[in-house]
Amino acid sequence: MANCSLLLLLIACLFVDCSLGLTLSLKLVHRFSDEAKSLWKSTRTGNVSAKFWPPRNSLKYFQMLLDYDLKRRRLKIGSKYDMLFPSEGSQVIFFGNEFNWLHYTWIDIGTPRVPFLVALDVGSDLLWVPCDCVQCAPLSASYYSVLDRDLSEYNPALSSTSKHLFCGHQLCAWSTTCKSPNDPCTYKRDYYSDNTSTSGYMIEDKLHLTSFSKHGTHSLLQASVVLGCGRKQSGSYLDGAAPDGVMGLGPGNISVPTLLAQEGLVRNTFSLCFDNNGSGRIIFGDDGPATQQTTQFLPLFGEFAAYFIGVESFCVGSSCLQRSGFQALVDSGSSFTYLPAEVYKKIVFEFDKQVKFNATRIVLQELPWNYCYNLSTLVSFNIPSMKLVFPLNQIFIHDPVYILPANQGYKVFCLTLEETDEDYGVIGQNLMVGYRMVFDRENLKLGWSKSKCLDINSSTTEHAKPPSNNGNAKSPIALPPTNRQAIAPTAARTSSKSSLSASYFSPLLLLLLAAFLVACWIC
């Protein structure tokens, strides 16, 4: 600590113009030397683990030095691959009512690899699959009308690359059941849907991926990820929502995009695309086209714990409403879109005013929406679209209307916006259809552009396809309840830092600051 105090004194002298002639000499200490190890031990209790301090010239010693070099290189040259997607293909699948109107993709986990059909959810962080089941949804294809193969159950004991996470692991800091570092890391996640949860313990294993370069070349690789061994599910997870697991894509430190970026495999960004035909794609590392529109993510209580954005105003048709701005969570785990009560009332009032001269409002008990209309097929009428306006006049246009098949000469349509008692809204996947949505976590912004969502690896073997509807709307009967996911408590933390003008720093001061940091690290 004496070295640190001396350096502080020297820096203070520079600011108060001390008239001292000084000659500064610094001693270099290797990070794995005996001297550095001794200094490290003197400031900490207990023994220094060989995991962090390998014997000099051992295999582990050189491996750790190589790992440090690789990390430095990644910082300089960026990610190893342009884009990644699941080894089963980049295709996203939509099954409609059968699987609660969520979007899914196939992933492979473990050695040997086992396929899972997981729901895609940007509103949560955890990747979990049914595992060593105590209470899980049925996995037999015969239970579901749209599957042509059974779903899988994960068994860590059968994977040669699986490792149990213990409480001492840095990614288990949020567990509430830990009593000692050697206890198994358990988890329990409660979601906003009524009585919906998953619980079990945490595992580290391999996720199988395919790389895609700008030159069109492909290669297979494995990435280490953490996942929940979901032994017990409840609520909507037992009723058809995500029977084979969920891939959380949130900004937290356990989500798949975060772990892929930390390994230096791909940029810290990904895209989702849902098309009008019940398909789409997911790409890790995709930063979108240069022509896309963007808006910044907003912190939640000072942290970027979820994908929040700020809407400045909401437009119905050509009418942009006054004081209709709000903050919204972008969440593919929500089937529909939810608005704060005050904004919702303004929008439905304006929508009703614009359509009531051409359509008759009706009440349909089997549908969850309050604003449904009968429209004569003989009437030529364009249903008003919706427009979300963001800062810098960035605009997101969509048509949140559900149209039922024509019946007895009439066409029925419903406004699929819902009211929430929260002070923020939720932009669900029904507003994302037809767009390439880019979640740029490096620059903390959301991007969007119109897209047909073509599968980047369409030659991949396909299975369990969604049923064809021949261009007709799917049956609206037995629509799912709200599917909003809870904001994950494991989101990465950010901290504000005070800034100093560069004009205050001389080269000598910068040298002393660097020396101070090095000396304090050793201390």
Side-chain angles (χ1 to χ4, degrees):
M1 294 301 296
N3 290 338
C4 295
S5 301
L6 176 59
L7 284 171
L8 283 173
L9 178 61
L10 293 174
I11 293 170
C13 285
L14 287 176
F15 282 109
V16 298
D17 194 24
C18 295
S19 300
L20 295 174
L22 298 173
T23 300
L24 181 65
S25 177
L26 296 175
K27 181 179 180 180
L28 299 179
V29 179
H30 191 277
R31 75 171 83 228
F32 291 143
S33 68
D34 292 339
E35 184 175 357
K37 181 177 181 179
S38 177
L39 289 170
W40 182 275
K41 291 178 65 175
S42 67
T43 60
R44 288 163 174 80
T45 59
N47 296 324
V48 179
S49 171
K51 176 182 177 182
F52 301 104
W53 220 283
R56 185 172 179 82
N57 295 330
S58 66
L59 180 61
K60 183 67 174 178
Y61 173 88
F62 290 115
Q63 183 62 51
M64 290 186 70
L65 290 178
L66 179 61
D67 288 344
Y68 280 118
D69 289 344
L70 289 176
K71 289 178 181 178
R72 287 176 58 83
R73 286 177 58 195
R74 287 170 186 160
L75 290 174
K76 292 180 180 180
I77 66 175
S79 57
K80 186 175 181 180
Y81 301 100
D82 293 331
M83 290 183 286
L84 296 174
F85 52 86
S87 56
E88 295 267 355
S90 63
Q91 186 184 28
V92 168
I93 309 170
F94 179 73
F95 297 96
N97 231 12
E98 183 75 18
F99 283 165
N100 279 36
W101 285 40
L102 299 177
H103 284 79
Y104 295 78
T105 195
W106 287 98
I107 63 172
D108 288 333
I109 298 174
T111 308
R113 61 190 196 179
V114 179
F116 295 90
L117 182 64
V118 293
L120 299 172
D121 180 23
V122 300
S124 62
D125 294 332
L126 179 66
L127 166 62
W128 68 266
V129 294
C131 165
D132 293 347
C133 285
V134 173
Q135 180 176 295
C136 298
L139 301 177
S140 172
S142 62
Y143 191 82
Y144 307 99
S145 63
V146 295
L147 296 182
D148 55 12
R149 61 184 290 186
D150 292 341
L151 299 175
S152 301
E153 179 180 344
Y154 178 67
N155 186 342
L158 298 181
S159 174
S160 62
T161 50
S162 69
K163 301 176 183 177
H164 286 260
L165 250 66
F166 294 95
C167 287
H169 196 284
Q170 61 180 352
L171 295 180
C172 191
W174 40 263
S175 179
T176 59
T177 62
C178 291
K179 296 181 179 179
S180 74
N182 296 323
D183 288 345
C185 180
T186 62
Y187 80 92
K188 185 177 189 297
R189 288 290 187 275
D190 294 309
Y191 296 82
Y192 276 134
S193 299
D194 291 341
N195 194 34
T196 297
S197 67
T198 175
S199 60
Y201 54 90
M202 299 296 293
I203 297 289
E204 180 180 350
D205 210 336
K206 299 296 183 181
L207 174 66
H208 296 259
L209 299 164
T210 298
S211 70
F212 182 83
S213 72
K214 296 176 181 177
H215 305 291
T217 58
H218 292 65
S219 62
L220 297 176
L221 67 140
Q222 300 176 19
S224 294
V225 296
V226 295
L227 63 143
C229 172
R231 303 194 67 202
K232 186 176 182 179
Q233 278 68 248
S234 66
S236 62
Y237 286 149
L238 299 178
D239 300 326
D244 212 22
V246 171
M247 180 188 285
L249 299 167
N253 58 358
I254 61 170
S255 75
V256 169
T258 300
L259 296 173
L260 295 181
Q262 287 180 348
E263 290 183 49
L265 296 176
V266 74
R267 287 189 57 194
N268 194 10
T269 179
F270 70 93
S271 68
L272 287 174
C273 198
F274 306 140
D275 66 22
N276 291 300
N277 298 318
S279 187
R281 71 181 192 184
I282 178 172
I283 303 289
F284 299 107
D286 181 18
D287 57 0
T291 55
Q292 71 183 351
Q293 298 190 77
T294 63
T295 190
Q296 292 295 129
F297 289 128
L298 302 177
L300 179 67
F301 305 117
E303 302 177 356
F304 289 97
Y307 301 120
F308 270 90
I309 56 176
V311 179
E312 287 197 339
S313 62
F314 203 110
C315 307
V316 180
S318 59
S319 176
C320 292
L321 307 178
Q322 297 293 323
R323 294 186 297 278
S324 58
F326 59 97
Q327 292 187 0
L329 171 67
V330 183
D331 181 15
S332 66
S334 292
S335 302
F336 305 109
T337 294
Y338 302 80
L339 302 173
E342 184 178 350
V343 176
Y344 174 81
K345 289 180 174 62
K346 291 180 180 180
I347 292 170
V348 295
F349 177 83
E350 180 63 27
F351 183 85
D352 186 66
K353 183 175 70 173
Q354 293 187 26
V355 304
K356 67 181 181 181
F357 295 108
N358 297 282
T360 303
R361 186 177 172 189
I362 59 176
V363 176
L364 297 174
Q365 297 294 338
E366 68 270 26
L367 296 178
W369 303 300
N370 297 320
Y371 288 81
C372 293
Y373 302 84
N374 255 351
L375 178 66
S376 171
T377 56
L378 301 177
V379 175
S380 177
F381 173 65
N382 292 323
I383 300 174
S385 63
M386 304 291 182
K387 181 168 64 176
L388 283 70
V389 182
F390 297 94
L392 302 178
N393 203 33
Q394 303 291 288
I395 297 174
F396 186 96
I397 301 175
H398 201 73
D399 179 16
V401 170
Y402 180 78
I403 301 177
L404 281 72
N407 183 30
Q408 298 179 350
Y410 288 90
K411 182 165 59 177
V412 175
F413 64 92
C414 298
L415 181 63
T416 62
L417 298 177
E418 292 284 333
E419 181 180 3
T420 175
D421 54 4
E422 304 283 357
D423 58 358
Y424 63 88
V426 178
I427 296 179
Q429 61 187 23
N430 68 323
L431 245 64
M432 303 180 195
V433 172
Y435 281 96
R436 177 181 177 184
M437 307 292 295
V438 174
F439 296 80
D440 187 344
R441 298 130 57 90
E442 286 186 1
N443 299 299
L444 296 178
K445 63 183 181 182
L446 176 72
W448 64 90
S449 58
K450 284 286 187 179
S451 176
K452 294 182 178 179
C453 307
L454 297 178
D455 183 9
I456 199 171
N457 195 37
S458 57
S459 61
T460 306
T461 301
E462 299 176 0
H463 42 73
K465 298 178 182 178
S468 173
N469 60 4
N470 297 318
N472 296 322
K474 295 181 175 62
S475 170
I477 306 303
L479 290 171
T482 303
N483 283 314
R484 283 188 295 157
Q485 307 286 359
I487 298 171
T490 55
R493 297 177 179 270
T494 58
S495 59
S496 59
K497 296 179 176 65
S498 58
S499 60
L500 295 174
S501 172
S503 61
Y504 285 101
F505 290 90
S506 67
L508 178 58
L509 180 55
L510 289 173
L511 175 62
L512 290 176
L513 281 172
F516 170 69
L517 292 174
V518 171
C520 284
W521 178 81
I522 296 174
C523 294

